[in-house]
Amino acid sequence: MDSKAFLNWSTGKDAAYALYTLQSTKEYNVIRLMTTVNKSFGRVSMHGIREEVLYRQAASLGLPIDIVYLTETLSLHEYETIITKQLIVYKSEGICNSVYGDILLEDLKIFREQQLQRLAIQGVFPLWNMNTKLLVEEMVNVGIKAIVVCVNEQFLDKSFVGRIVDHQFIADLPEGVDPCGENGEFHTFVFDGPMFQKRVPFEIGEIVYKTYDAPKQCNQEEIHHYGFWFLDIL
């Protein structure tokens, strides 16, 4: 199978380390990035990174980036249709491998693979099932620089927003919080590391608080909404 691949780029540390891993092993040749962006706000889904900052990241990585725009009221069927259109483009260009920075979420992995299989595209998960404590420590050790741009208040308080992911940050995480934030506890913006040609220029903006309705299937009836702290990266 052709080794050409595209990377599902979240702007965060896990996607960055997945790229670093593949560039180190040379098993797959990542030639493009793909990112989903909220069409209404021009920001990366969940991470909240501005579109213009996203382009700076891609330029520093030396890779072209494709942006897939999504709306807030998108149904699962609509989401699959939009993503499939982009996958068809990649397949027509001979890109038959889709890379993800996923680590532990089995349901999400199965969902991705089922969508890819319809087009005979292979899902590549270089970080899959790794020990997240050892993994995040390795990220720090190899020189990946990331700043926390979003925290879920169910797990972390506002003080964690804007912190650099380093060994002290890892040590300060409360018990029960995944060291990589794999359960959505926090999200990051990566701005430097061995995969970058140069450090991504950015400035720190304000910290804002936003709430989202709890999923209907949520078993905890007392939870009506989820609160998140976001750091604006300028």
Side-chain angles (χ1 to χ4, degrees), residues 204-222:
I204 299 294
E206 64 177 336
I207 297 175
V208 297
Y209 180 75
K210 294 184 178 182
T211 60
Y212 300 88
D213 292 336
K216 293 180 180 180
Q217 68 270 24
C218 181
N219 294 323
Q220 301 180 54
E221 296 182 2
E222 70 275 12

Side-chain angles (χ1 to χ4, degrees), residues 43 48-50 52-54 56 147-149 162 164 189 191 199-207 230-234:
R43 293 176 181 264
I49 300 300
R50 295 169 181 260
E52 55 266 35
V53 179
L54 172 61
R56 285 189 179 189
I147 183 172
V148 177
V149 292
I164 299 297
F189 169 76
F191 58 88
R199 183 182 186 276
V200 181
F202 72 96
E203 294 182 6
I204 299 294
E206 64 177 336
I207 297 175
F230 289 90
L231 173 66
D232 196 11
I233 298 294
L234 307 175

Side-chain angles (χ1 to χ4, degrees), residues 115-138:
Q115 188 174 30
L116 295 172
Q117 284 171 359
R118 300 187 190 108
L119 296 170
I121 295 176
Q122 176 180 237
V124 180
F125 301 83
L127 312 185
W128 185 249
N129 216 23
M130 295 180 70
N131 181 299
T132 52
K133 176 71 179 303
L134 297 179
L135 180 57
V136 72
E137 288 176 345
E138 177 62 14

Side-chain angles (χ1 to χ4, degrees), residues 134-145:
L134 297 179
L135 180 57
V136 72
E137 288 176 345
E138 177 62 14
M139 292 179 191
V140 174
N141 291 338
V142 301
I144 289 179
K145 306 293 185 184

Side-chain angles (χ1 to χ4, degrees), residues 53-203:
V53 179
L54 172 61
Y55 278 117
R56 285 189 179 189
Q57 256 189 339
S60 293
L61 288 167
L63 291 169
I65 186 166
D66 302 305
I67 294 179
V68 177
Y69 292 100
L70 305 175
T71 62
E72 288 185 281
T73 57
L74 208 63
S75 68
L76 180 59
H77 175 71
E78 290 170 328
Y79 169 82
E80 290 182 311
T81 299
I82 292 172
I83 296 298
T84 297
K85 286 181 179 179
Q86 185 60 49
L87 293 177
I88 291 173
V89 172
Y90 289 138
K91 188 68 184 293
S92 70
E93 296 173 349
I95 306 174
C96 299
N97 301 285
S98 178
V99 182
Y100 301 92
D102 299 335
I103 308 169
L104 300 175
L105 303 181
E106 184 73 36
D107 289 348
L108 181 58
K109 182 174 184 285
I110 292 172
F111 171 77
R112 298 196 197 283
E113 289 177 328
Q114 288 176 340
Q115 188 174 30
L116 295 172
Q117 284 171 359
R118 300 187 190 108
L119 296 170
I121 295 176
Q122 176 180 237
V124 180
F125 301 83
L127 312 185
W128 185 249
N129 216 23
M130 295 180 70
N131 181 299
T132 52
K133 176 71 179 303
L134 297 179
L135 180 57
V136 72
E137 288 176 345
E138 177 62 14
M139 292 179 191
V140 174
N141 291 338
V142 301
I144 289 179
K145 306 293 185 184
I147 183 172
V148 177
V149 292
C150 171
V151 300
N152 184 332
E153 69 172 358
Q154 288 188 93
F155 305 100
L156 296 170
D157 60 46
K158 182 182 178 181
S159 68
F160 282 89
V161 182
R163 288 190 58 175
I164 299 297
V165 177
D166 54 18
H167 292 299
Q168 187 59 58
F169 171 84
I170 299 168
D172 290 343
L173 289 174
E175 186 177 352
V177 172
D178 185 85
C180 281
E182 184 67 354
N183 299 307
E185 297 97 331
F186 64 93
H187 298 288
T188 61
F189 169 76
V190 62
F191 58 88
D192 204 359
M195 71 294 296
F196 285 98
Q197 297 175 352
K198 62 178 182 179
R199 183 182 186 276
V200 181
F202 72 96
E203 294 182 6

